[in-house]
């Protein structure tokens, strides 16, 4: 099997689900003939027709609301946000309407909202955001944020089949940089199951999305330069979150560093920290520590972006501090 | 896309002097020359991020901004560089901004023409989220109304941005409050790859004015004098308490959404047709020479002058310093002015080093 990129893996996953289930259809800005700003949906309109790949006006709240209505009546809409930053325009729809539909009114809402997220690409404050934490707090939603091409495909397929609404974050830095070989057959990755990206015994790094690769790079360096054995846990989905896997790893290594690209205050790491201290405080040999973005809107200029976002060198320094504690 | 079916009135708008007629030409030429320079810098990878052109749309931005007084406020969109120049933005600022320099107007935080100046030149920088500036400008102009200041505001949106909730809420709010606001819909045929017919089912954007209870005026956006005239009328209406006007300027986006976009979605020949028959600068040159008696030499002087200005600005901007990483922490709040750096950057563990490890703490075997 040939290797394909992270981006192609998502497209392949979507196409397979469209093939399998006629109720799956796509909605978004410029996703049809143009194939989307990043070309994730390229070729899908030609293949599945204009009824199943619909170009919409620039109306995020409208698109998400319409998807919910369609989902109530048996469709499986997959919405593209041109950049995930623009999901803020649909925040009300997602948190108030979509997320509560099942609980308050027994309304099924099987839909996916997906889009390119994340920084490291000099996109400035409105094309680099990581809004996952804004939705982590919303019961009723599920959140996937894959790091590998294999997971991108397996998780988008699971997301489309899921009975509940899923936010699917696609890190744009990974789109064309990461490749993988897709497992044969109907490759599904379940929600709520973390992946041990690297085994280790001295320290656990809990992370997801693009920083998985930075953590792996750091682990490599720490092994070579310090003889440290670092375990890297890739969460894959944030809602539900695999706390069992986190706890198991922390009990093994007794030290934990949480790394994410989003800003530190109110970020996902805070929730993970709380879970660890509730579930395995006695196993800790060092304080739980976080490496995340500084609490500022993401600036555009390269030196500023580099400073604000967590880098491999930060993970290395923080790991050394933890290991020496 | 159909060409504008609006007939221009060939008299120069009342009160425009020779100097002003020439100034309009100069602003359009400066916009184009500056953008062409940005393309060159982009190809040399000196522009950080994307590059957005207003090629073929210069008359919309320049003609409308020219109808404002200095005290009036303007909020541009990505393709309204010309309006910012008219309002006093300098080429060197634009170049620094695109090159993400440390002394750019936003100190490297924001890109392209996303910057403002509420103190002196009175433009309010946009954010990327389309439509958001309409309610913001409703608030700006509401303030002028409340304080009884003789000032108006003008906000640009693209055809695509009219589909957003913020556009609708903002214009409706401003209409109800009778704010002195001009909303300019720059209808250039496309929103990224999406043609206007997929953006709205309305036959024309100006029809939407009826729904908001405000006057709407549609005009040929590639005739700079007509753009000037309709905007000037809307400004006069706003100043005299007449409230909001919706202007629809018909134009055409001859470049892709951004420099990287190859425009595969555009019908063959369409761009060339507009370039050959409906370039706002070419059209204006014909009028300046045929109707208003300017000589080609006078216009060539302007061109040379503009080229020199852009050359000088480029030299200055290229020598501007890059940003310094830790400056990213400055200015999130008024107070404290600088955020603390995180523990893994600033002397690792500073906050925790002082912490004494309790006796008896060790590795658990469980
Ligand atoms: C709310 C929102 N959704 C999506 C985008 C992504 N986006 C940026 S520009 C653009 C097209 C804009 O078209 P239009 O408003 O017609 O302006 P033009 O580019 O034609 O000048 C889109 C979809 C955005 N900036 N904001």
């Amino acid at each position: 099997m040939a290797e394909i990129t992270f981006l192609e893996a998502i497209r392949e996953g979507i196409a397979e689900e469209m093939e399998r289930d006629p109720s799956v259809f796509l909605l978004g800005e410029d996703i049809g003939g143009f194939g989307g700003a990043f070309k994730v949906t390229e070729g899908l309109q030609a293949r599945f027709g204009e009824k199943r790949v619909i170009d919409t006006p620039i109306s995020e709240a409208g698109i998400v609301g319409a998807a919910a209505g369609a989902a109530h009546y048996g469709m499986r809409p997959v919405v593209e946000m041109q950049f995930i930053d623009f999901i803020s325009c649909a925040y009300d729809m997602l948190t108030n309407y979509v997320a509560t539909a099942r609980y308050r009114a027994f309304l099924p809402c099987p839909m996916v909202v997906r889009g390119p997220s994340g920084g490291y690409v000099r996109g400035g404050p409105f094309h680099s955001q990581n809004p996952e934490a804004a939705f982590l707090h919303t019961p009723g939603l599920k959140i996937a944020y894959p790091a590998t091409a294999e997971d991108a495909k397996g998780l988008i397929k699971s997301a489309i089949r899921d009975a509940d609404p899923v936010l699917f974050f696609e890190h744009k830095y990974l789109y064309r940089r990461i490749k993988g070989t897709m497992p044969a057959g109907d490759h599904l990755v379940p929600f709520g199951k973390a992946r041990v990206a690297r085994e280790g015994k001295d320290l656990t790094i809990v992370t997801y999305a693009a920083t998985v690769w930075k953590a792996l790079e750091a682990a490599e360096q720490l092994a070579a330069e310090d003889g440290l054995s670092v375990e890297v846990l890739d969460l894959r989905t944030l809602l539900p979150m695999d706390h069992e896997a986190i706890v198991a790893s922390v009990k093994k290594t007794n030290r934990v560093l949480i790394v994410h690209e989003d800003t530190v205050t109110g970020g996902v790491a805070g929730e993970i920290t709380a879970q660890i201290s509730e579930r395995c405080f006695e196993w800790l040999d060092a304080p739980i520590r976080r490496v995340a973005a500084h609490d500022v809107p993401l600036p555009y200029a390269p030196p500023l972006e580099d400073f604000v976002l967590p880098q491999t060198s930060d993970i290395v320094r923080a790991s050394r501090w933890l290991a020496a504690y | 896309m159909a060409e504008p079916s609006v007939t221009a009135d060939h008299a120069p708008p009342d009160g425009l002097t020779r100097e002003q007629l020439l100034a309009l030409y100069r602003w359009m030429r400066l916009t184009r020359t500056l953008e062409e320079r940005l393309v060159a810098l982009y190809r040399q990878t000196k522009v950080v991020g994307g590059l957005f052109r207003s090629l073929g749309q210069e008359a919309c931005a320049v003609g409308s901004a020219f109808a404002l007084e200095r005290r009036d406020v303007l909020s541009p969109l990505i393709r309204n560089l010309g309006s910012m120049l008219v309002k006093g933005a300098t080429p060197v600022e634009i170049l620094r901004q695109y090159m993400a320099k440390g002394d750019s107007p936003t100190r490297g935080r924001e890109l392209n023409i996303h910057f403002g100046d509420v103190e002196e030149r009175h433009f309010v920088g946009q954010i990327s989220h389309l439509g958001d500036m309409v309610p913001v400008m409703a608030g700006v102009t509401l303030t002028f109304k409340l304080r009884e200041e003789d000032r108006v505001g003008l906000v640009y949106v693209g055809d695509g941005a009219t589909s957003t909730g913020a556009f609708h809420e903002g214009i409706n709010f401003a209409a109800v409050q009778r704010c002195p606001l001009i909303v300019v819909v720059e209808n250039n045929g496309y929103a990224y790859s999406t043609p206007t017919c997929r953006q709205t089912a309305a036959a024309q954007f100006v029809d939407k004015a009826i729904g908001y209870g405000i006057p709407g005026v549609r005009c040929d956006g590639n005739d700079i004098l007509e753009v000037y005239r309709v905007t000037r009328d809307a400004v006069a209406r706003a100043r005299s308490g007449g409230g909001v006007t919706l202007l629809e300027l018909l134009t055409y986006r001859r470049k892709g959404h951004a420099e990287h976009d190859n425009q595969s979605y555009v019908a063959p020949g369409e761009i060339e047709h507009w370039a050959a028959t409906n370039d706002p600068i070419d059209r204006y040159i014909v009028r300046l020479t045929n109707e208003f008696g300017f000589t080609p030499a006078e216009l060539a002087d302007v061109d040379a002058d503009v080229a020199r200005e852009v050359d000088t600005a480029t030299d200055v901007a290229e020598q501007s310093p890059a940003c310094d990483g830790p400056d990213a922490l400055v200015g999130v709040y008024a107070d404290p002015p600088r955020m603390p750096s995180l523990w893994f950057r600033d002397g690792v563990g500073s906050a925790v080093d002082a912490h004494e490890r309790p006796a008896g703490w060790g590795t658990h075997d469980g």
Side-chain angles (χ1 to χ4, degrees), chain B residues 251-286:
Chain B
T251 184
Y252 185 80
R253 197 192 74 200
R254 273 164 41 202
K255 281 293 186 174
H257 172 61
E259 212 42 29
H260 66 261
D261 166 10
N262 68 9
Q263 296 172 285
S264 52
Y265 45 87
V266 175
E270 195 177 275
I271 299 163
E272 294 73 13
H273 178 70
W274 276 79
T277 64
N278 208 339
D279 180 86
I281 299 184
D282 292 349
R283 282 179 59 186
Y284 192 46
I285 290 172
V286 171

Side-chain angles (χ1 to χ4, degrees), chain A residues 224-266:
Chain A
E225 295 173 12
D226 305 59
L228 274 179
S229 162
V230 176
E231 178 143 304
V232 178
L233 199 66
D234 169 6
L235 290 175
R236 292 168 149 170
T237 64
L238 305 177
L239 272 182
M241 195 182 286
D242 191 352
H243 294 296
E244 306 307 324
I246 299 171
V247 165
S249 183
V250 172
K251 283 184 175 175
K252 184 168 93 172
T253 64
N254 313 108
R255 286 175 166 80
V256 60
L257 179 70
I258 307 161
V259 179
H260 63 55
E261 184 186 327
D262 190 14
T263 47
V264 66
T265 300

Side-chain angles (χ1 to χ4, degrees), chain A:
Chain A
M1 276 242 160
E3 284 205 318
I4 60 172
T5 62
F6 187 91
L7 183 149
E8 289 161 345
I10 296 167
R11 183 191 302 141
E12 207 173 274
I14 293 171
E16 283 179 18
E17 292 310 297
M18 292 183 80
E19 203 71 69
R20 197 185 61 83
D21 179 354
S23 62
V24 177
F25 75 109
L26 313 185
L27 289 160
E29 295 154 17
D30 308 290
I31 64 168
F34 192 58
F38 287 87
K39 303 289 177 195
V40 174
T41 57
E42 190 165 44
L44 296 182
Q45 191 178 63
R47 186 161 156 200
F48 295 103
E50 287 193 14
K51 280 184 166 176
R52 293 185 71 193
V53 182
I54 301 175
D55 277 324
T56 64
I58 303 171
S59 309
E60 285 77 10
I63 302 166
V64 168
H72 294 341
Y73 278 83
M75 299 298 280
R76 295 219 165 224
V78 179
V79 167
E80 174 174 298
M81 293 286 141
Q82 194 155 84
F83 283 82
I84 207 71
D85 309 63
F86 304 123
I87 202 171
S88 52
C89 300
Y91 183 77
D92 167 54
M93 271 293 168
L94 282 166
T95 56
N96 289 313
Y97 189 82
V98 170
T100 65
R102 174 178 299 282
Y103 183 71
R104 72 184 146 74
F106 310 103
L107 287 163
C109 216
M111 55 184 276
V112 178
V113 177
R114 45 160 291 270
S117 56
Y120 300 107
V121 294
R122 323 315 192 186
F126 306 111
H127 292 80
S128 307
Q129 289 176 43
N130 282 286
E132 65 270 19
F135 297 99
L136 189 74
H137 192 58
T138 308
L141 296 179
K142 294 184 176 180
I143 301 175
Y145 208 160
T148 67
E150 292 86 344
D151 283 357
K153 179 172 178 187
L155 285 168
I156 192 71
K157 283 168 66 78
S158 296
I160 294 171
R161 288 189 208 181
D162 203 288
D164 289 309
V166 176
L167 306 186
F168 193 87
F169 293 88
E170 302 168 5
H171 204 295
K172 66 176 86 67
Y173 184 81
L174 304 180
Y175 267 156
R176 295 172 197 278
R177 283 183 179 82
I178 298 301
K179 289 185 170 183
T181 309
M182 297 305 118
D186 197 18
H187 167 56
L188 293 169
V189 172
F191 274 53
K193 285 233 60 83
R195 173 181 75 97
V196 178
R198 179 189 173 104
E199 297 250 20
K201 55 184 178 21
D202 297 330
L203 167 78
T204 297
I205 298 177
V206 179
T207 185
Y208 55 93
T211 45
V212 168
W213 297 98
K214 299 206 179 287
L216 287 170
E217 223 171 73
E220 199 70 28
Q221 190 183 334
L222 289 160
E225 295 173 12
D226 305 59
L228 274 179
S229 162
V230 176
E231 178 143 304
V232 178
L233 199 66
D234 169 6
L235 290 175
R236 292 168 149 170
T237 64
L238 305 177
L239 272 182
M241 195 182 286
D242 191 352
H243 294 296
E244 306 307 324
I246 299 171
V247 165
S249 183
V250 172
K251 283 184 175 175
K252 184 168 93 172
T253 64
N254 313 108
R255 286 175 166 80
V256 60
L257 179 70
I258 307 161
V259 179
H260 63 55
E261 184 186 327
D262 190 14
T263 47
V264 66
T265 300
V268 173
E271 175 57 25
I272 299 171
T273 303
Q275 291 277 351
I276 294 171
S277 54
E278 282 175 2
R279 291 173 190 236
C280 52
F281 178 74
E282 290 86 358
W283 277 271
L284 289 172
D285 284 345
I288 303 163
R289 302 238 68 177
R290 295 175 290 178
V291 166
H294 283 80
D295 284 329
V296 307
L298 192 65
Y300 153 70
L304 302 183
E305 191 193 41
D306 288 347
F307 183 86
V308 169
L309 291 182
Q311 306 297 338
T312 302
S313 55
D314 298 323
I315 303 173
V316 168
R317 294 176 82 190
S319 301
R320 285 187 176 139
W321 184 89
L322 271 174
Y325 187 88

